Amino acid sequence: MSTLISRQALQSPRSAAGILGLSRFSNTRRTELALKVSSVMPEGLRDNCITYFTQGGSGAVETAIKFVRKITGRSQIVAFHGDYHGVWCGAVSLTTGDQYREGYGPFIPGVIHVPYPYCYRCCFGMEYPSCGVQCAKYVDYVLNTPYTAADDVGAVIFEPQQGEGGYVIPPPEYIPMLKEACEKHGALLIADEVQAGAGRSGKMWSIEYSGVVPDMITWGKGMGSDVPMAGLTMRRDLGEKIRESSQPNTFAANALSAAVCMTNIDILTEDDNALIRRAGELGEHIKGLLNEGAKDTRTIGDVRGRGLFIGIEMVKDKETKEPLDLDSIVQIIMGLLRRGMVMVPCGRFGNVFRFMPPLVLTKEHAEKACEILLDAVKEVEK
Ligand SMILES: Cc1ncc(COP(=O)(O)O)c(C=O)c1O
């Protein structure tokens, strides 16, 4: 049998089919999936990329850290305050939430954290747009000024819309400015789309709103829809710098997960991306209802988001923006549970309710959910 397989075939890189690092004897579904994932990447990466599959988002980020080191020969990575990238040793070193870090140090060296563009609570005390997007200028300063100790940065990793950190959307100029700062330094730009991707934002990938082509995308969650399926997709020329079989991974994109992921992609993209476009439209409708309803409340400070990825930031006082106390947050959550609705808070002060429904949520359910939320908030305000 072995004589039927030429030496050349055995050595031929799987990267020709757009997959990296897995068994040379790949299953057919895995190969098909690599091509399908490539076909739904943002323009610029589409049909010109290589994917390394993993079982979850943390693994995709972990892989990104390793590959960046290998590809660029550089050791530092810039990440953002409030971004969540997962829990494995490398990924958690990029994540800033104390609940994920406490007791797990020391973390990997070479990580530099910078502020996320969080306009509602600007750490520079400025206001958009008169700020001139100071937070993007700051990253440029860190990357491109001597004496900041960021002299060896291989990549900047960020969430194009921040999830766990409080459902924050950067101002429109931010990502193009970030890309420019990376290019000046020679650093790669990695968009972590594990949470915002797979159509949730109203586009297949949230970064598509910016027009910027990232060098790498990490993805997961909705691509598998409860089946372990995630990956790191990178520019083809970058993927080609990774030695085949340098990072084997037994179960990644196994036939079952790959088949489910392909079906998910088909569902998301059928009828000219109907489900994805609907997520964008329904999200705007929900934000409209919540913003309108918030006018009659004292504690809904900010409603923000994109697509079915919405944050509701709760405050004691809309003027001072002092975060709502945890007791009141818990009371609201209990009120929601009594009404049959589950909300998990997030954000730096645990005061942001996240609205992350399945993309198939009906308009009626969405409207009911807004009504319930406003009701529960007003009950606690009394
Ligand atoms: C942006 C982002 N990156 C990475 C991860 C880690 O993904 P997983 O839980 O599949 O390891 C998450 C999970 O919430 C995430 O939101």
Side-chain angles (χ1 to χ4, degrees), residues 12-20 31 34-35 47 49-50 236 240 244:
S12 80
R14 301 271 350 140
S15 61
I19 352 172
L20 191 68
T31 309
L35 295 171
D47 298 326
C49 54
I50 293 181
R236 172 165 283 279
E240 282 170 353
E244 293 286 335

Side-chain angles (χ1 to χ4, degrees), residues 303-352:
V303 177
R304 55 185 178 240
R306 201 186 263 145
L308 292 175
F309 182 111
I310 295 169
I312 302 126
E313 177 147 3
M314 306 300 296
V315 291
K316 266 196 180 140
D317 180 310
K318 292 188 188 186
E319 281 300 306
T320 66
K321 299 184 183 174
E322 185 186 342
L324 190 62
D325 58 282
L326 230 51
D327 263 6
S328 306
I329 295 284
V330 171
Q331 278 182 50
I332 296 171
I333 290 171
M334 297 313 285
L336 290 169
L337 283 174
R338 277 197 306 278
R339 293 166 171 85
M341 192 160 125
V342 180
M343 273 268 177
V344 182
C346 64
R348 194 192 312 174
F349 307 105
N351 66 328
V352 180

Side-chain angles (χ1 to χ4, degrees), residues 55-59 61 84-88 159 163-164 192-196 218 220-221 230:
Q55 291 88 336
S58 295
V61 171
Y84 178 86
H85 296 296
V87 291
W88 307 139
E159 289 181 77
E164 196 63 29
D192 184 346
E193 294 264 6
V194 168
Q195 188 162 158
T218 48
K221 286 197 191 287

